[in-house]
Amino acid sequence: MILEQVPLAQYTTLGVGGPARWFVETSREAEMLAAVRFARLRRVPYFILGGGSNLLVSDEGFPGVVVRITGTGSEWSDESAGRGFARITVDAGADWDSVVRLAVERNCAGIECLAGIPGSVGGTPVQNVGAYGQEVSRTIVSVRALDLEAEKVVHFSAADCGFTYRRSIFNSTHRGRYAIVRVVYSLQVDGVPHLEYRDVKHYFAERAIAHPTLAETAAAVRIIRARKGMVLAADDPDSRSAGSFFKNPVVALAMVPSLAAIAGCRVDEVPQYPPGAGFAPEDEMVKLSAAWLMELAGFRKGFSMGRAGLSSKHVLAIVNRGGSTAAEIVALRDAVIEGVFAHTAVRLEQEPVMLGFAPPH
């Protein structure tokens, strides 16, 4: 069924945005393609909607067809005997955190640090979801998708997806061409948890837990994220956000000494991490903390512009303080990007997808 003038704010974690001119909810591939054909006949744009956790919709809404994917099935299978890995095949509409819970219940490692991330499975390969030292690209085996131009089912290996930090072909070179309908992940049975990031290490050090389990690690990550307002909760206004609004920038290692000088600290005190997928050691690149850069430029927790603000728990999240417009979110975004660049010469990039906005000049 094709609905008309459906408000989109209710389908996003930011709770902002106007209506879709036409709106379809389905788990069937044939109905997805039918909705795309409907859009083409009317010469209007279309958009594939998942969990809405990484989406900023304009105040005017979207003048085309929004297709919300709803399939939630999953299936486990063992890989070849003796390899110590299991695969889980999950429909794109499934809640991502439920997949993490299933994995740790089966004592399968690889995504435990991605616990508590809102959104659906279909979004994980699109933006190469990552947190606390893990990236989903390291576990993806294949992606089933609809080629919306050729109107047929296609399959991608992980290598085909072109994963780099927060990027894939699905949000860069082939943005809008494919609708993800299913993802296959490979997880290590009885693997050890990933404990690379400082916040996670500190959590267990405080509790004198030397060898946490996968379940304990996932639970710890949810607690850490909740402290930062990064877990959806009806009683937490700081969770009315799109999560981390800005990407941790990957820059040349040679920039770090100048940033240390600006901050008045030692080079080794500048928060820095491996650059992630798509970079080799010889590239001499490093991932910086966007939150650290924002605070260095004078943006503090709780900073507000109108009804949009930075979370009182974590400076990296832009939150809707109640009745915010998309225009207010964008104004705050621009102020942060310009302020950080003026102070540090590092230009931040946003994570959320923009829907219904005029293309940038």
Side-chain angles (χ1 to χ4, degrees):
M1 178 186 297
I2 298 178
L3 305 176
E4 297 187 47
Q5 300 298 338
V6 174
L8 293 175
Q10 63 186 315
Y11 295 106
T12 74
T13 53
L14 260 172
V16 166
R21 177 65 182 84
W22 292 280
F23 184 85
V24 177
E25 279 188 308
T26 183
S27 63
R28 298 177 180 275
E29 293 173 355
E31 292 178 358
M32 296 175 204
L33 289 176
V36 170
R37 293 188 195 107
F38 177 91
R40 288 202 178 105
L41 283 171
R42 283 155 182 78
R43 297 186 178 181
V44 297
Y46 55 84
F47 180 78
I48 307 300
L49 176 64
S53 62
N54 194 48
L55 183 65
L56 176 58
V57 180
S58 77
D59 296 317
E60 290 73 27
F62 184 64
V65 180
V66 170
V67 183
R68 184 168 181 261
I69 297 178
T70 59
T72 60
S74 64
E75 180 181 346
W76 284 88
S77 62
D78 293 329
E79 295 189 13
S80 56
R83 288 187 59 193
F85 285 82
R87 291 188 179 188
I88 179 171
T89 302
V90 194
D91 289 344
D95 173 67
W96 169 249
D97 194 50
S98 69
V99 177
V100 178
R101 292 182 186 276
L102 280 173
V104 298
E105 283 173 9
R106 290 176 174 251
N107 208 36
C108 290
I111 56 175
E112 63 279 356
C113 290
L114 307 182
I117 294 177
S120 60
V121 162
T124 62
V126 173
Q127 64 192 88
N128 187 15
V129 164
Y132 299 105
Q134 285 186 325
E135 288 183 334
V136 76
S137 58
R138 298 172 190 167
T139 65
I140 288 178
V141 176
S142 63
V143 173
R144 179 185 175 95
L146 289 177
D147 184 333
L148 301 176
E149 291 183 8
E151 297 190 2
K152 65 178 183 179
V153 172
V154 291
H155 293 86
F156 296 93
S157 68
D160 296 332
C161 295
F163 291 123
T164 58
Y165 176 65
R166 297 297 181 273
R167 279 190 172 90
S168 69
I169 64 169
F170 307 115
N171 66 1
S172 57
T173 56
H174 293 75
R175 179 190 292 272
R177 176 167 178 173
Y178 301 104
I180 310 298
V181 293
R182 197 166 299 140
V183 185
V184 181
Y185 306 90
S186 176
L187 305 172
Q188 187 175 5
V189 179
D190 298 328
V192 297
H194 190 87
L195 305 172
E196 177 183 312
Y197 262 45
R198 179 180 56 190
D199 288 356
V200 181
K201 289 180 181 176
H202 183 65
Y203 178 92
F204 290 116
E206 280 187 326
R207 291 157 179 78
I209 300 174
H211 303 289
T213 65
L214 292 172
E216 287 171 333
T217 302
V221 167
R222 290 190 187 93
I223 291 169
I224 293 166
R225 290 182 64 87
R227 288 175 182 167
K228 298 176 180 180
M230 297 290 193
V231 173
L232 293 177
D235 60 351
D236 183 4
D238 278 323
S239 72
R240 196 183 297 124
S241 76
S244 296
F245 202 92
F246 301 100
K247 301 175 184 179
N248 288 328
V250 177
V251 305
L253 185 61
M255 287 193 70
V256 175
S258 64
L259 291 170
I262 294 169
C265 67
R266 300 192 311 269
V267 168
D268 63 353
E269 291 177 321
V270 175
Q272 50 195 291
Y273 311 98
F279 296 95
E282 58 268 24
D283 295 330
E284 295 190 326
M285 304 294 284
V286 65
K287 186 192 301 179
L288 301 177
S289 164
W292 182 82
L293 291 166
M294 288 171 65
E295 291 176 336
L296 187 61
F299 294 98
R300 307 295 183 198
K301 297 172 187 174
F303 176 86
S304 293
M305 289 176 58
R307 292 166 292 184
L310 302 180
S311 168
S312 64
K313 298 183 178 70
H314 195 280
V315 71
L316 206 53
I318 292 180
V319 300
N320 173 4
R321 298 216 177 281
S324 176
T325 63
E328 288 173 309
I329 301 283
V330 169
L332 177 54
R333 175 205 67 184
D334 291 346
V336 169
I337 290 174
E338 291 164 12
V340 169
F341 183 75
H343 199 75
T344 68
V346 177
R347 187 169 295 280
L348 297 181
E349 295 182 26
Q350 73 175 64
E351 284 206 38
V353 173
M354 308 283 278
L355 182 64
F357 292 85
H361 299 294

